[in-house]
Amino acid sequence: MSSKDTCRNELRTAIRQLSDRCLYSASKWAAEQLVGIEQDPAKYTPSNTRFQRGSSSIRRRFRTNEITSTPAAGVSYVSTPVMEEDEVVDGDFYLLAKSYFDCREYRRAAHVLRDQNGKKSVFLRCYALYLAGEKRKEEETIELEGPLGKSDAVNRELVSLERELSTFRKNGMFDPFGLYLYGMVLKDKGSDYLARTVLVESVNSYPWNWSAWLELQSLCTTVDILNSLNLNNHWMKDFFLASAYQELRMHNESLTNYEYLQGTFSFSNYIQAQIAKAQYSLREFEQVEVIFEELLRNDPYRVEDMDMYSNVLYAKECFSALSYLAHRVFMTDKYRPESCCIIGNYYSLKGQHEKSVVYFRRALKLNKNFLSAWTLMGHEYVEMKNTPAAIDAYRRAVDINPCDYRAWYGLGQAYEMMHMPFYALHYFRKSVFLQPSDSRLWIAMAQCYETEQLHMLEEAIKCYRRAANCNDSEAIALNQLAKLHHELGRDEEAAFYYKKDLDRMEAEEREGPNIVEALLFLANHCRAHNRFEEAEVYCTRLLDFTGPEKETAKSMLRGMRTAQSSFPPMDVERFPP
Amino acid sequence: MYAPPALMTVPFPFSSVSQHNRFGLFLFALTKSSDDILEPKLDELINQLREIGDLLYQWLTDQLISRLSSLSSPDDLFTLFSDLRGQYSWSTQNLAQWKMSRLFWTRIVTWECFSGVVCLLSISYVLRYNFFDLMSSSGVCHLLTNIGIYCKEALSTCPNYELPCLDDSHNDLEALSEYENMDLENIVYEKVTEEIEARKMASEKVSFHLHAPEALFGLVEDIEVPAILNSKHGDNCRETCSYAHTPNDALRDIDSSGGAFLRTNWQTEGHGSSFSLNAFEVILRQLQKLAPDLHRVHFLRYLNNLYHDDYFAALENLHRYFDYRTLDCNSFGRYEIALLCLGMMHFHFGHPKQALEVLTEAVCFSQQKIFCFLGNLVMRISFNYFCARTPDGFQFMQHSNDTSLAYTLAAICNLLAEIGISTTTGILGSSYSPITSIGTSLSVQQQLFVLLKESSRIAESLKLKRLVASNHLAMAKFDLTHVQRPLLSFGPKNSMKLRTFPTNVCKELRLGSHLITEFVSERLTMTAEGAFSTAWLKNLQKPMGALVLSQENVSGGSSNAFQFCAQPSSIPGSVMQLVGSSYLLRATAWETYGSAPLTRINTLIYATCFADGLSLSDAALAHVKLIQHLAVFKGYKGNLKLAQQVCDELGVMASSVTGVDMELKTEASLRHARTLLAANQFSQLLFSIHLFPPLFYFCIFTQHSLQAAAVVHSLFCMCYKFNLQVENATVLLLLAEIHKKSGNAVLGLPYALASLSFCQSFNLDLLKASATLTLAELWLSLGSNHAKRASTLIQQALPMILGHGGLELRARAFIAQAKCLLSDPSFSVSQNPEVVLDPLRQASDELQVLEYHELAAEAFYLMAIVFDKLGQVAEREEAAASYKKHMLALENPEDEEDQLINT
């Protein structure tokens, strides 16, 4: 890892260069990371570090003309390439074009730059054209939504752009930004392989463009593709890998990477949010909640990733926190898909499912491929017992991302509700394949096998066993295992699982009918196997409960005592009942 | 439909009311006639239109062509429909007419593409006739798909950008051309060329389409089939051949047109010989891009995957399709159909257990919803499945096919009973759950029997004619292959004869086809749909067509038997299929019971009249039967190898999955075994047939090729594994014969006896005769003191053998007869030489036709002995020379093979 100073200086330059080329989200990302670097406490006064987190208005400015490009000793990081500015002073036309661009008048911007040949101008012209095409495409998508759901609106600039960009590339007239644009065009066109090559080229020569990394990441659909990329070592690569691992559901690898990055960027909100995401996938809700609370404290108007926080709050049924979050994002920016999802969750927790569907729909209107909205909407429809709609929503979710195990699970659930357990199993299988560590999925699958229709108890047992192995928080699996074994006449196994269940319930200090059931079974079981002392212990414990079991226990105790007093123990052993 | 006579003004294109009405009639017939899958091409339609009248024709054709060629997007088509609605606003029945014309225009569009696709993807007739019928009833979906496909033309004219690069597999290509200015057109061209090459190779490999038809033809012509049927068949063959050659033409044209459209066209016309997975996938992707909400694409993709045996992709796409269909309000019973499709898919891939589970779920599900029609559907599926394969199919138990059917039927009976349509509760009662209670007390066959009875009773009470008919067929099949035992054995054991009842089979078959005929005639007279309309359209092409048109009273025509046969497409596919299977079943039955002429007739009827409407595997089965018949009764005529090859190819057509297409597989294997037997390769047979070959057998026979061993080994295993008892009898007899040939008569005897008892209980008369003969031969070979016994046996079998037996069987009987006489000490040759000589002469004649050198040599040897005893030296020498000739031929089989190759 390069030194913090190096990172800092690199980022500062990058921010300027990126925003100069109107690559605003990349620039935003870079700036976030810049602030995320821990300041040298010896160098700055406490007041400076106090402001280091949170507000971005107060920021120490440095003169960034002297770019330090010293690589860290010992590590084989490539030397940081220095961007050569071909136009040291931006031409007047460029300034005008950039202003137009900033006002979202893309075609005007492109027109202004029509005769400029500098790399920067060429890039901005092409980029403006690309965005103009995208804008038109989105408008058309809304306007032309035909009866067939036809959305064949295309970015009409793509063809000419691609032609132009490929010539540029052949003539070697490209800076990394141009390559990034070319990569995007190729990706839109569907030439994934070439797009990857071009993007790798781009990030190797200019690593600080996070948007380029993101494009590259979206093209890495498998680990093999990811490993086959020929990337230079740079600290930005670590960000990329962490993010790519997360997408590929290699959460632990991703976490390791992020924790490593935190060494330098210890205050990065981005990294924190990503860690939260990974923890969320690992179902560590407590940790996620802590992280998000901190994030919200530092960055109260943050909307990104907050839908995940709302999911956690929903799962934990933290009503007031969710309500607070919903109101806050509503005030901040209510027309963002994330906000809509949060509000949808809020209504769902309130039990107003129709309203929540409205908000999920709105989220989808804002972004048709907003995955979690589809899944959550499916959940709502399930709640509303509208299974066909739920199935449709879930199916759209898995078609957008076939790795969404929640949606697969939802599909299974929906079909189970339709009393099609065998059909549902197909989906549950998909779901557990993607998330084998989630006990709920195994339990759902087991219940499917258990249904009267299928009655495949052996398979159910296998599933429950898996569920019990992955830390079944609701403690269904052990009890069910015991019951099933009992049903199948395997009392030893049943006793084993009842005992295990009992131990667990004791450890968690839980009460409930399961305890009574376990105690009763164990008492009977021990008595049948002549372990009277153990049986007596269980019976005595049963006496603490009310209900018919208490009476049973009493009579059992009485029976055992009389049996023991009338027969010498030797006889009992000799003639087992 | 008709313009009212009072209407004075006729819409523009028509010059008179009658012309108007004629056109109306034409349209009406056209829209109704196309219940089948194969629909006329555009040019055919134009030809038909020409019959209606010159003026009108010109106008209509112009309109039609200009309209169709100006279509560039789905929206255009919608506009077209709206226009049509305005233009053809004839008289009062506006709406109905509009609907009709919509259907009409849809069809025009579809002819070009969709029928081709469907034919091409005809994985199994079950899918085609049941599901597709049902699906296409959701006509809108159908329409949209077709429009989408049609739009590929528009797409191909768009900038090349539209052509998606398919997947990573094309990345290499892409990478290669990366530095060559990204000329996408080149890529497309290369892709097409590659595919053409692949296709060429494929069509070369699948040589069946190239030579087998002629070969079959020769055989068919041999029995003097009426020429008209023959030529029809011939056309089909030619068509197939020409399709196989299309790539060359396509290649020629490729430069001139965009590529994509051409490619699609040529694919959709490919008719199933070979069809590339990716090529169709390209179309589907384009289609999906055009209309993302058109979920039918997923179904087509599923069919494509199914056709290419891609299990996982098929599973995925099927699920996807039905997931999306859940929101489709019009799709009645969509979940059931999803389950049924899934079940069929599992069947197709040979997962009977999953299939059973899925079907059970389908039934359970429909039970909740109380969808009556679904019971019908499940029933049809099951029966189709049942008919298409042997009843003793699968292996998850020994009789799992029965089980699956039984369970499904049980559930259906339950379903139907609970709906309350049938009031009586039947033997099983109505409270059982499908899986649990029935399986315990009765054997699978008994369950099947009970359920068949029950379901046919219910079907009858519901007046589901097709179902009843298929029920009868299933019942006939059951009777054919199962010995019935008393269902409930109360009290003293009643002595029941453990035999099958041929009369029952006949009865069921008759009842089945009776209902089918009824159904057809009912359709003809009452609804005047389908059959009549097609007949009417066909008549148009004849010169007298105009006459028919001018008559108002067109419904007077009645169809005779010939029409029925010659125009099979006029009847809905499912009925056709039923009729066809009834004939095939008849053929099987007669084959089993040993009547050669009836087998031949029924198979011929099937192969000629029902050839175009039915599944490949059934057709193949029929052809196997025919080949076999010809081989047995006409001799090999030197075409042993060819017969063998055709047979192999037919066998290959059967699904490679275990437990599927059992009937075809057994037939083909048996046929192969018989061919080997005829080619004097018994030893190999024995080596493979015998389960525990003693070591010395092994030593003797290892010198022979293992190829034959593999065939019969698999046959043997199959019969035992799938409990094919009828075939078991044959295999046992085969074993006995092999032992006889290898000189171990004692070992052969038990096999012959076992076979005999099988034959008795299954009423396999011809086989029984043949087994008796073998038994007699075995006794004979044990020594002359057994001649008496052998003679009695031969006398028993002789009437049957002479009446129905093949050449070989008869010859063997004659020789055995002569041998008996010769070894009888009380018989004197000199007194009555003709008694011996006559059968021997006949035998030698027949064996020479068969080129069965070994037996022929034996016959001549015996003749020589007789002549020697009689002292007729010249005749003796002649017989001896013949003997020598055959012995030489026997020792040098290569010569013949060379001849074969040369010819």
Side-chain angles (χ1 to χ4, degrees), chain B residues 376-409:
Chain B
N376 181 8
L377 202 66
V378 175
M379 198 87 110
R380 265 167 67 190
I381 306 296
S382 314
F383 273 117
N384 283 328
Y385 186 71
F386 183 65
C387 295
R389 292 156 177 97
T390 60
D392 312 82
F394 284 114
Q395 75 259 35
F396 79 97
M397 276 166 54
Q398 211 177 10
H399 329 276
S400 66
N401 189 10
D402 281 355
T403 329
S404 78
L405 182 66
Y407 284 154
T408 322
L409 290 184

Side-chain angles (χ1 to χ4, degrees), chain A residues 189 194 399 415 422 427 430, chain B residues 161 316 320 323-324 361:
Chain A
K189 204 200 81 184
L194 193 52
D399 277 354
Y415 278 109
F422 190 81
Y427 294 110
K430 289 237 167 209
Chain B
Y161 212 80
E316 194 49 49
R320 178 174 290 129
D323 283 347
Y324 278 127
E361 189 158 302

Side-chain angles (χ1 to χ4, degrees), chain B residues 584 606-607 610-611 614-624 650 664:
Chain B
L584 199 58
Y606 179 83
F610 301 97
L614 291 162
S615 78
L616 278 178
S617 64
D618 275 2
L621 186 59
H623 287 305
V624 169
L650 290 174
L664 183 57

Side-chain angles (χ1 to χ4, degrees), chain A residues 148-150 162 169 189 191 193-194 388 392 395 399 415 418-423 426-427 430 453, chain B residues 144 161 171 174 178 182 290 292-293 315-316 319-320 323-324 326-327 335 357-358 361 364-365 368:
Chain A
L148 311 181
K150 168 178 151 180
E162 198 224 327
R169 175 156 195 248
K189 204 200 81 184
S191 332
Y193 180 80
L194 193 52
D392 189 78
R395 175 43 85 173
D399 277 354
Y415 278 109
M418 304 290 304
H419 298 281
M420 294 162 76
F422 190 81
Y423 209 80
H426 171 78
Y427 294 110
K430 289 237 167 209
Q453 236 165 300
Chain B
L144 294 181
Y161 212 80
N171 279 339
E174 199 179 278
E178 178 188 345
M182 290 296 296
L290 270 169
D293 280 354
L315 188 69
E316 194 49 49
H319 275 97
R320 178 174 290 129
D323 283 347
Y324 278 127
T326 53
L327 267 188
Y335 296 111
E357 279 161 343
V358 171
E361 189 158 302
C364 289
F365 187 80
Q368 321 160 16

